[in-house]
Amino acid sequence: IGYQKRTFKRNWKSWRRIRVTMTTNAIYDLLIDSVMENITGEWTIARLNVQFLANGQDIEFVGTYLNPAGEVQPLSTDFADDLTEAMQELHQTRKRESLPRANQLQMDLTTACNYTVEYRWDQEIQDEDDHFSNGGTAREWQAIRTAKYGDQSA
């Protein structure tokens, strides 16, 4: 009985966490907090790029920030799982609300917590994601990419 009870509690917490819907502003706040926690030194502005792959279930983060001397520094994107889950929820919320398709989000953030968010759709990223999700190889993708989008090696 004890084992079943622990399993039920764990499943209940997971169900509850998934079912609680965060507002878009709450997700932005979580994103801002996560970025600020991962910058260890002084900074002036940060940029975080988020890619939504696999229909919003696979999230990739890449970021940079400027130090006071204006030098670009890499932003650690070792974020908590809660942020990834929140970004998945954001993607689904945008779909439910029939907002324009987006597979990229870019957030620019200042030390005063002023920020801008921009959503974009990149068809090439979507084509690449679809290709690999369907078992395609890197060699096949390179040929498709070159044929469809041109030689981008230069």
Side-chain angles (χ1 to χ4, degrees), residues 11 16 37 41 47 60 92 95 101 104 125 146 151:
N11 289 342
R16 184 169 181 234
E37 287 172 5
R47 172 169 285 171
E60 293 182 2
Q92 295 307 313
K95 283 177 64 174
R101 293 189 316 169
Q104 295 181 322
I125 288 173
T146 299
D151 184 11

Side-chain angles (χ1 to χ4, degrees), residues 110-129:
T110 69
T111 54
C113 293
N114 295 319
Y115 67 92
T116 60
V117 174
E118 179 182 330
Y119 291 90
R120 289 187 298 264
W121 178 261
D122 185 320
Q123 188 60 47
E124 184 177 347
I125 288 173
Q126 188 62 45
D127 290 345
E128 180 179 4
D129 185 40

Side-chain angles (χ1 to χ4, degrees), residues 2-3 7 12 16 19 22-23 30 32-33 38 48 52 55 74 84 88 98 100-101 108 111 117 121 136 143:
Y3 176 76
T7 302
W12 171 256
R16 184 169 181 234
R19 301 300 295 175
M22 293 178 73
T23 66
L30 181 60
I32 289 166
D33 290 345
N38 280 13
L48 182 67
F52 301 95
N55 199 27
T84 299
Q88 292 167 336
S98 299
R101 293 189 316 169
D108 290 329
T111 54
V117 174
W121 178 261

Side-chain angles (χ1 to χ4, degrees), residues 28-56:
Y28 291 165
D29 288 344
L30 181 60
L31 194 55
I32 289 166
D33 290 345
S34 298
V35 167
M36 293 179 82
E37 287 172 5
N38 280 13
I39 298 177
T40 55
E42 291 185 35
W43 61 286
T44 57
I45 191 166
R47 172 169 285 171
L48 182 67
N49 293 301
V50 181
Q51 286 190 18
F52 301 95
L53 304 169
N55 199 27

Side-chain angles (χ1 to χ4, degrees), residues 64-78:
T64 57
Y65 66 93
L66 294 180
N67 65 19
E71 300 166 328
V72 177
Q73 302 294 318
L75 173 65
S76 169
T77 55
D78 187 22

